[in-house]
Amino acid sequence: MVRAAGAVIERLGPAFTLADVAKEAGIAAGTLVQRFGSKHGLLVAMTRAAIEDARRGLRAALQGGGDPVAAVVRALVERYAPLDDPVTAPNNLAQLSVDLADERLRELMAEYYAVIEQELEPALRQAVAAGELPGAPAPEVAARVLGALADGTAIRWSTRPVGSLTERLRADLEAVIEGWRRPPAG
């Protein structure tokens, strides 16, 4: 049901109804009401699912050894890859604005972004300790900066989708990281 809601949001944006989601899922609208109570309840469930998906997805992308910096870039690019569609990007962006206006959804989004930072931080800490990023800020700050860069790149690309989101995101992340690979001046 949550996946069906995501597909409907991609097609219709925030104007979707529970009936639209029910049709997509092949179930009765009453089933959605019974399960989630309302459209808001469904959005809360979707955001909670996104938090857990982010935690699992980032951990999987960051495990396996190798270059921790490359793993961070890969993890963020993979996290945002589903948004790499210029047709659906505006609808996802419109839903984001609705979510930001709702106190409960905004709190859950803050939790989502905190998970991204928490999952990136150990890999960045490892890279800093190994001397790979001598110009980087503290790992917790670096995780916040890279997460914000990924978010901002996705939003900007959604408003003007030139090329591929994943290619732009990779280039932007690597540009910042390249600067961190140089020792600070002075």
Side-chain angles (χ1 to χ4, degrees):
M1 289 183 262
V2 169
R3 275 194 296 264
V8 169
I9 288 171
E10 286 182 346
R11 270 197 330 272
L12 304 175
F16 80 94
T17 65
L18 289 179
D20 296 324
V21 176
K23 183 177 179 183
E24 177 75 19
I27 60 174
T31 303
L32 284 172
V33 172
Q34 217 172 13
R35 175 82 185 262
F36 301 107
S38 64
K39 181 177 175 178
H40 185 265
L42 176 59
L43 291 169
V44 167
M46 288 179 70
T47 308
R48 284 186 177 139
I51 291 166
E52 290 311 308
D53 181 57
R55 184 175 283 118
R56 281 191 308 274
L58 288 166
R59 282 183 185 168
L62 292 166
Q63 289 177 348
D67 179 3
V69 176
V72 165
V73 171
R74 183 178 58 252
L76 283 169
V77 170
E78 288 175 7
R79 172 97 314 251
Y80 288 85
L83 300 176
D84 196 354
D85 181 345
V87 173
T88 62
N91 290 333
N92 284 310
L93 190 56
Q95 184 61 51
L96 173 64
S97 74
V98 169
D99 293 351
L100 286 171
D102 179 275
E103 184 177 354
R104 179 66 182 128
L105 294 173
R106 192 171 53 251
E107 289 170 357
L108 287 168
M109 287 177 61
E111 185 178 336
Y112 173 84
Y113 294 127
V115 163
I116 290 174
E117 292 170 21
Q118 291 162 4
E119 295 300 326
L120 294 178
E121 188 179 329
L124 292 165
R125 188 170 303 288
Q126 179 185 355
V128 167
E132 295 178 38
L133 300 173
E140 62 276 7
V141 175
R144 186 176 66 235
V145 167
L146 294 177
L149 174 61
D151 295 334
T153 298
I155 289 170
R156 289 184 66 129
W157 181 88
S158 294
T159 64
R160 192 169 152 253
V162 176
S164 162
L165 170 60
T166 56
E167 289 172 13
R168 184 181 303 172
L169 182 55
R170 183 174 284 107
D172 290 357
L173 290 166
E174 288 175 354
V176 169
I177 289 168
E178 185 57 35
W180 291 349
R181 289 190 188 277
R182 292 188 290 263

